[in-house]
Amino acid sequence: MESIIKSQSLRQTFNLLKYTFGIVPIVAGTDKFTNLLTNWEQYINPTMANLLPFSASVFMMIVGIVEIVAGIIVLKKPEIGGYIVAAWLTVIALTLLLGFNYVDVAVRDLVMAIAALSMARLSKIVK
């Protein structure tokens, strides 16, 4: 009985992480086109923005597409999507840290990357 309860708890934890890392990137990615939640361009490292061959707005739309696709992959194949989201969040955090802008957001993204990695690893146990 105890192993059944542990198994159910593990499955619930996995599902919570799966839907969080599936839905949140889709919502954030979609918002890159509308800027309803925030002005996403403010998070671009100014040095990096100057290197872009297009506007910051176009860059954020590309980022939005990547995030939407990553969220869909998490929902369909969490064992792969978790690693993609973890890597993506780590890159975002490192970019923010390089410019020493939004350090609080960078730390939050690193914590979320660890959670996404944990979800990917859990997916191998919870089938």
Side-chain angles (χ1 to χ4, degrees):
M1 182 69 166
E2 186 177 329
S3 67
I4 293 172
I5 292 170
K6 285 181 182 179
S7 178
Q8 289 173 340
S9 179
L10 194 59
R11 167 137 314 273
Q12 289 170 349
T13 301
F14 168 75
N15 282 332
L16 180 62
L17 290 167
K18 174 183 165 183
Y19 289 113
T20 297
F21 288 110
I23 294 168
V24 170
I26 292 170
V27 170
T30 302
D31 195 56
K32 300 298 189 293
F33 294 87
T34 63
N35 287 316
L36 293 175
L37 299 175
T38 190
N39 175 9
W40 293 100
E41 293 173 31
Q42 70 182 327
Y43 296 108
I44 300 175
N45 182 318
T47 304
M48 190 173 110
N50 291 332
L51 298 174
L52 294 174
F54 37 73
S55 70
S57 176
V58 169
F59 176 75
M60 292 314 291
M61 288 180 191
I62 293 168
V63 167
I65 292 167
V66 171
E67 290 175 342
I68 292 166
V69 169
I72 292 169
I73 293 171
V74 167
L75 293 173
K76 298 285 185 183
K77 295 277 187 186
E79 64 277 7
I80 298 167
Y83 290 108
I84 293 169
V85 170
W88 184 251
L89 287 165
T90 301
V91 168
I92 292 169
L94 293 175
T95 301
L96 291 172
L97 289 172
L98 282 174
F100 210 70
N101 295 325
Y102 303 101
V103 175
D104 58 328
V105 175
V107 170
R108 181 208 62 201
D109 283 356
L110 288 173
V111 170
M112 288 192 318
I114 292 167
L117 178 64
S118 298
M119 183 216 50
R121 298 196 62 196
L122 277 175
S123 72
K124 295 176 183 176
I125 299 168
V126 179
K127 295 285 181 172

